[in-house]
Amino acid sequence: MEFVAEHDVVILGAGQAGASAAIRLAQMGLDVGLLERLQFPRGHVGICISDETVALIDYLGLGREFDDAQFWRRHLTAVRWGDPEARLVPQQGYHVDRAVLDELMLRRARSVGARIYQPAQLQEVRRLEDFGWSVTIAANERRQRLKAQFIVDAAGRRPAISGARIKDGPPLVSIHANWAPSRTIAFDGLIEAGEDAWLWYAQTGHNQAVVSVFCDPRSLRAGKADGMQAQYAGVLRQFRALRPQQLGEQSSVPQVCDATSHHAEDPVGDGYIRLGDACFSVDPLSSQGVHLALQSGLQGSIVVNTILRKPENTEAAQQFFLMRTGERIGRYTGRTKQEYARVAAIYPNAFWRARAGDASVPMAGDLDSIVESPPRAASDRVAVSPDVSLGAAPVIDGVFVQVRQVVRHPNINGDVAYVEGVDLARLLSALPQRFAYCDIPKFWRDHVPSATGDRIASWLWSKNVLVRAV
């Protein structure tokens, strides 16, 4: 069978990771084919995004479309997480309809030049003997064969390219349904811990909400005569922050999906990369699924562009992606285990203890979280912390991964080469051994505008990169 099309990159999966990678790769001038198994719109449980996530969506050129979609703007989240009563926490962001957001992303990918194959059933992915990949799909009631130099696996929790998966926690499922609240509720979102499950409520419209419960699939009775609806209702009875009369009427049948956290043993390799859930599926307790998918797509697109356009930097690009992926896995699995540990102290049963692992409960009001204001007096001396070190590491530089001088510190996640586009190592090198904080603009005036320098200095102080001189 002849190839019907040849692409620089074929992306398998048009979710947030796959679509964002397609947008950026097409904008960089590569020929992109984007395959999606399902016809849009399609339902999806992940609906919570922060203002930081909106900034990524805007970066992809979808700011106006996002605003026009009029997603629900959230302000208050109720939290009852091992506490006797729920407390209200200000939390800015949106509750989005993923079916709408995914469609917007797909349209954007098409508008910048990606070729969309949808619906397209993936039948085979195999390496060619000479170079590249052969991708066989079933689309438009016939089999088609595509050729690609590079494959991006963004096919979700069931990756398209075979490879070992490592579980980051015990099995977890989500059972969710739409509701029509009958009364005004004082908050937009709710997270509540039950005896052996947890609940997430998200308002998505004036009389619309999604209620998800998360539990161990082994606790569900597969043979129960009245099916998933009864089991969903049974789990809901564990929770009391929302009374049944507030929830109103259930407006859809419950849907079930896997929510177990796991990651790929081989995120990147010769001619391929895994993005989004195919790389790392984060525990839904983090509420960071969409953000991490977009971040993965944006970083992954630069890795792919580097490998194809600057093959001499292939090793650095792969190392960069492995480092960033490892950092995300460590950071988010550690945080979620700590949150599970909070509840395990109240409900010391198998559900909570297995998810907490060996994590300890984080201390409230930790002194490390208190940031002292920087000294403003000319007589107060500050210095670069002795914990700061410089080294060489692969970082994103424009649309490529390059090896650059980086700054490392225990309070900074990963290696940092640039802050607001400014060479951080160069800025720190411009500072004397001891100096007044108020004199920083004088030392940096040849390197950065005053306002930008003020923001960078404030950030360095908050991270203890700059400290009081001893």
Side-chain angles (χ1 to χ4, degrees), residues 338-353:
Q338 284 188 324
E339 292 304 321
Y340 282 125
R342 288 183 191 273
V343 186
I346 309 298
Y347 298 120
N349 57 39
F351 177 83
W352 294 104
R353 290 172 65 181

Side-chain angles (χ1 to χ4, degrees), residues 168-208:
D168 299 311
L172 188 70
V173 293
S174 164
I175 313 174
H176 55 277
N178 296 324
W179 289 75
S182 57
R183 300 185 181 182
T184 300
I185 297 173
F187 43 80
D188 312 290
L190 162 69
I191 183 168
E192 182 177 3
E195 184 175 348
D196 61 0
W198 57 275
L199 172 145
W200 175 247
Y201 162 91
Q203 187 170 357
T204 55
H206 289 289
N207 294 295
Q208 300 172 6

